[in-house]
Amino acid sequence: MSDLNSVFQTQKRAFDAMPNSDWAYRKANLKKLGAAIKAHEEDFQRTISEDFGNRSYVETTLAEVMVIQGGISHALKHTPKWMHTRKAPTAMQFKPGSNKIVPQPLGVVGIISPWNYPLQLAVMPLIAALGAGNRVMIKPSEYTPKFSDMLKKVLGEIFSDDEVHVAVGGVEVAQEFSSLPFDHLLFTGSTNVGRIVAQAAAKNLTPVTLELGGKSPTIIDESADMATTVARIANGKLLNAGQTCVAPDYVLMPSSKIDSFADAMIKQAETFYPEVAGNEQYTSIIADNHYARLQGLLEDAENKGATLRTAGDDDKQQLAKERRIPLTVVTDTTPDMKIMQEEIFGPLLPVVPSESLDDALDYVQKRERPLALYWFGKNKKKENRVLNESISGGVSVNDVAWHVIQEDIPFGGVGPSGMGAYHGEAGFNTFSHLKGVFTQSRFSQGKMLHPPYGPKTEKMLNLMKKIM
Ligand code: NAD
């Protein structure tokens, strides 16, 4: 038996010995998880930054540690209610019998996480899985090896291996991991690998939650306040140097305003980051292959007639050495450009002319359903049209990405951007079996339906038809 399989079997046995842990146990798990993340905040800041080349410490605190602390506080407050047997209505013809829903842990669950927010995207699903009473195995990304070792060390200090296990290693480990017969598997990563993981899980009929990527559009309406819009988009796009699954991928706006928008974006980026080279607050691109991919997108766009505007005037060689790319706004785009076809995942922002809301919605609807969609404007009618007529995993109105850190709403994709959801109660439900239970009454009319069927049965059936 391989090491991973043996950990899996050990967790299975531990789960079977305590198949429905009580709140005291789950609360203790969530509390020690929160305390450990807090105690090791600097270790995570440092290791993630080393893995990236440079990752702003503030970003690690803001977009990882604080999101986790928010998730834990929310889970501590609400899980007892979510764990409770839930009331369910009972249709008249089945009364006085009664229905209820009993949430149960699933067993041993797997979490596969990506490199871009390595701490948040491993630990947020962990919070949901532990709150729901499961044993958990985690496979973090091979792109962040120092972080992954730290996560293994930190979680190993507070959990036994039969509670939470971190499996470090490359793609071979990920492949073996995804072939384990988990009771649920939550994968966060690219759509391509998501497909492979879903196929591996299907062999075991393991249910999957897929948190994938895609091209998230931003629609700017004429009624939007331009200065605020520019500042919010620049902030959301440049966080983690654009390596964010819900970063605004491209902008749709009226052509008459594109030039002034593009200039304002560049100015805003230069205000946020007066220099990019050597700036500890500006995150590097994770690896050489991703850096080359992003440069390739720019070259391809330029060769096909796009206009590029780049923030700042840093030395290009120095930028390349540090794998840093300043905000680059790409205008005069055409659909045949690669930048308009694949998820960008970097600080490049193409703009597409769109003269009306109909145009913008048509553009979005004709493409794969995105993970996020953003709309900027003051016109409520148009806002409602956007919400009703577009399909995306989630939406932020008049800002970008904020919907992701709300624990009171589900987070997940739709179609090629994912399936299933987590965060808050959605996460608890994802990692639980919601068991439907019907309790029959002493006075059940069921015996009137027993064979042999005759006139009494007919009477009963007629009565039931009337009240149904
Ligand atoms: P990726 O798909 O390359 O890797 C994700 C994980 O899958 C890693 O842990 C990796 O080890 C594992 N993996 C790789 N090959 C595998 C295989 N054959 N079988 C099983 N597992 C395998 O993604 P990435 O580059 O780490 O992350 C970037 C992508 O993730 C982007 O597309 C982004 O949009 C998406 N993403 C989505 C969310 C979300 O919440 N929806 C969040 C962050 C990132």
Side-chain angles (χ1 to χ4, degrees):
M1 202 190 301
S2 74
D3 289 353
L4 274 183
N5 199 1
S6 124
V7 173
F8 176 80
Q9 297 302 340
T10 310
Q11 290 211 350
K12 208 71 191 145
R13 281 194 296 277
F15 178 79
D16 289 345
M18 185 174 60
N20 204 344
S21 52
D22 61 12
W23 171 234
Y25 174 75
R26 300 187 200 185
K27 183 174 159 188
N29 279 347
L30 292 171
K31 283 203 153 174
K32 65 185 177 187
L33 177 60
I37 302 287
K38 203 168 167 192
H40 289 279
E41 180 169 348
E42 281 177 23
D43 291 325
F44 287 124
Q45 286 173 327
R46 178 175 41 78
T47 49
I48 294 175
S49 185
E50 284 171 8
D51 284 331
F52 270 75
N54 182 70
R55 152 64 96 75
S56 154
Y57 278 29
V58 175
E59 288 182 350
T60 298
T61 291
L62 190 69
E64 309 225 46
V65 175
M66 283 172 68
V67 175
I68 289 168
Q69 300 300 1
I72 291 178
S73 304
H74 193 265
L76 283 170
K77 194 163 165 208
H78 298 285
T79 308
K81 183 179 73 213
W82 300 332
M83 283 170 69
H84 241 264
T85 295
R86 302 173 194 184
K87 280 190 200 153
T90 310
M92 183 66 92
Q93 65 271 28
F94 303 118
K95 283 182 177 168
S98 63
N99 287 326
K100 61 187 172 189
I101 297 165
V102 180
Q104 279 190 307
L106 290 170
V108 181
V109 302
I111 294 168
I112 302 180
S113 51
W115 52 262
N116 63 328
Y117 292 95
L119 181 62
Q120 193 219 123
L121 296 169
V123 175
M124 288 301 279
L126 176 63
I127 294 168
L130 289 176
N134 298 282
R135 308 272 156 169
V136 189
M137 293 175 70
I138 304 175
K139 161 66 183 77
S141 169
E142 58 281 5
Y143 277 92
T144 49
K146 289 186 178 161
F147 157 78
S148 300
D149 286 345
M150 182 57 67
L151 183 72
K152 189 173 175 65
K153 176 178 167 287
V154 170
L155 296 185
E157 281 166 6
I158 53 168
F159 294 115
S160 60
D161 230 24
D162 65 16
E163 291 175 313
V164 177
H165 174 83
V166 178
V168 296
V171 174
E172 342 64 67
V173 175
Q175 281 166 331
E176 190 192 341
F177 189 94
S178 60
S179 71
L180 292 171
F182 288 115
D183 295 296
H184 193 93
L185 180 57
L186 186 145
F187 168 83
T188 305
S190 61
T191 300
N192 283 344
V193 177
R195 246 182 222 116
I196 299 171
V197 168
Q199 282 172 16
K203 288 194 180 139
N204 301 310
L205 286 183
T206 291
V208 287
T209 300
L210 299 178
E211 297 283 340
L212 309 176
K215 289 182 84 61
S216 298
T218 300
I219 304 173
I220 306 179
D221 185 58
E222 286 147 350
S223 64
D225 175 85
M226 211 30 104
T228 312
T229 301
V230 163
R232 291 178 183 176
I233 294 177
N235 188 40
K237 182 74 180 178
L238 296 177
L239 181 79
N240 210 26
Q243 300 165 106
T244 304
C245 57
V246 290
D249 190 281
Y250 63 94
V251 171
L252 291 157
M253 66 187 301
S255 46
S256 61
K257 293 197 171 174
I258 289 181
D259 279 334
S260 58
F261 168 79
D263 291 340
M265 280 294 294
I266 294 298
K267 225 167 146 192
Q268 185 66 69
E270 289 168 349
T271 310
F272 285 163
Y273 307 99
E275 295 91 31
V276 166
N279 186 343
E280 282 182 0
Q281 297 188 5
Y282 198 85
T283 295
S284 295
I285 303 302
I286 185 80
D288 291 341
N289 58 341
H290 282 277
Y291 186 82
R293 181 182 63 78
L294 291 165
Q295 296 294 354
L297 291 182
L298 289 178
E299 255 171 54
D300 173 76
E302 205 165 23
N303 289 341
K304 290 174 181 159
T307 306
L308 310 188
R309 289 173 174 81
T310 304
D313 57 357
D314 296 68
D315 180 66
K316 285 206 169 84
Q317 277 182 346
Q318 187 58 30
L319 287 171
K321 223 165 107 188
E322 298 173 9
R323 279 201 311 274
R324 283 187 167 107
I325 302 180
L327 175 71
T328 308
V329 180
V330 183
T331 55
D332 302 313
T333 53
T334 50
D336 62 326
M337 295 173 181
K338 282 189 197 145
I339 200 167
M340 292 317 307
Q341 293 167 355
E342 56 183 77
E343 180 182 10
I344 297 172
F345 223 56
L348 323 177
L349 186 70
V351 188
V352 178
S354 145
E355 307 311 332
S356 65
L357 182 55
D358 282 325
D359 258 12
L361 287 172
D362 186 57
Y363 188 95
V364 172
Q365 292 298 63
K366 283 195 174 126
R367 284 163 175 78
E368 292 193 334
R369 289 173 176 172
L371 180 59
L373 183 141
Y374 304 117
W375 188 77
F376 285 85
K378 294 187 191 118
N379 183 320
K380 276 281 161 198
K381 258 195 184 156
K382 286 191 185 171
E383 180 185 315
N384 284 333
R385 275 200 63 200
V386 170
L387 295 181
N388 291 326
E389 295 176 33
S390 66
I391 302 182
S392 62
V395 174
S396 288
V397 173
N398 285 321
D399 213 326
V400 300
W402 281 80
H403 63 284
V404 178
I405 51 173
Q406 308 304 316
E407 285 299 287
D408 295 293
I409 54 179
F411 171 60
V414 55
S417 60
M419 61 170 86
Y422 74 122
H423 286 195
E425 190 172 7
F428 178 89
N429 289 345
T430 286
F431 287 111
S432 298
H433 172 53
L434 301 180
K435 186 157 72 182
V437 178
F438 174 75
T439 304
Q440 188 58 283
S441 153
R442 248 178 343 128
F443 306 109
S444 164
Q445 65 284 59
K447 61 173 182 274
M448 313 278 282
L449 294 171
H450 291 176
Y453 303 129
K456 265 193 199 162
T457 323
E458 197 143 322
K459 241 179 161 178
M460 190 61 196
L461 289 178
N462 285 337
L463 183 70
M464 285 174 81
K465 278 182 193 162
K466 267 192 202 144
I467 57 174
M468 269 167 85

